[in-house]
Each structure stands twice: as C-alpha cells, then as structure tokens.
Amino acid sequence: MTNLNKSIFGKTIELSDEQKQTMEVVASVKTTTRDSRFPTQNQANHCWNRYNEWLLCLKNTGDEDGCKNMRQQAVSICPSIWTDKWDEERDDNVFAGLKV
C-alpha cells in the first residue's frame, strides 16, 4: 500500500487507523470463482445456483456460520435486489428454490 501511495503521490502517506481498517475490509472482499458450468457473460443461472447451494449447505448442516462462505459467494455474484427478494420469499415460505 505504501508503495502505491509513493508512486501516486510521490511520497509515503500515513493512513489513520480507521483508514487502515477500511483498507483491510476492502482487501478481504472476494467474489465467487469462475464456474465452467456457466461460461457465458450472463451469470443469472450462476447466481441462482450459488444461492441454492448455500441453502443446500444450510439444509444439510444447519450451521449458518459454516455456510457463511457460500452465502458470501451468492451475495457477491447476485444483484442485492434478487437476494433480498429471495430472502423475503423464504421468510414467507413462497421461495421457488430449495426449502430449508
């Protein structure tokens, strides 16, 4: 990080603790890996599959913390409006995917 600051600003810039924490959060954000089952640019099917894989993990293990990574993969590839809608549908027991 300091090398990047030096190359951009010509000098090393000190970051506050809050800025350092923000940079750590940004650096830890990850998206789902490429899935050869979904080779096209349109990733809607990939999104739906990742969301249901997360639900399958919940159904099989019952451990939300253990399935947190799968939830992150689904959230990272799906538009938030879709995941919010699906979460609401699951709460109302009208979700078309897997039932947990």
Side-chain angles (χ1 to χ4, degrees), residues 8-30:
I8 293 173
F9 300 109
K11 59 183 178 182
T12 302
I13 301 207
E14 293 298 320
L15 299 174
S16 69
D17 289 338
E18 183 179 348
Q19 289 171 324
K20 288 178 185 175
Q21 288 176 344
T22 302
M23 291 303 293
E24 288 174 12
V25 168
V26 169
S28 68
V29 172
K30 294 186 170 111

Side-chain angles (χ1 to χ4, degrees), residues 7-58:
S7 64
I8 293 173
F9 300 109
K11 59 183 178 182
T12 302
I13 301 207
E14 293 298 320
L15 299 174
S16 69
D17 289 338
E18 183 179 348
Q19 289 171 324
K20 288 178 185 175
Q21 288 176 344
T22 302
M23 291 303 293
E24 288 174 12
V25 168
V26 169
S28 68
V29 172
K30 294 186 170 111
T31 189
T32 186
T33 57
R34 182 183 182 284
D35 192 331
S36 60
R37 296 175 294 174
F38 309 101
T40 62
Q41 194 169 7
N42 183 347
Q43 293 293 301
N45 289 335
H46 192 182
C47 162
W48 175 254
N49 196 51
R50 287 289 184 189
Y51 190 85
N52 281 282
E53 285 175 350
W54 167 66
L55 292 177
L56 186 62
C57 178
L58 284 179

Side-chain angles (χ1 to χ4, degrees), residues 58-90:
L58 284 179
K59 184 176 183 176
N60 290 337
T61 65
D63 180 19
E64 286 196 32
D65 287 338
C67 299
K68 193 165 89 171
N69 184 37
M70 296 183 89
R71 168 73 181 185
Q72 173 58 37
Q73 289 180 351
V75 169
S76 71
I77 197 167
C78 298
S80 61
I81 193 168
W82 291 4
T83 55
D84 293 344
K85 178 180 178 275
W86 294 336
D87 289 341
E88 289 174 13
E89 288 176 351
R90 286 181 46 241

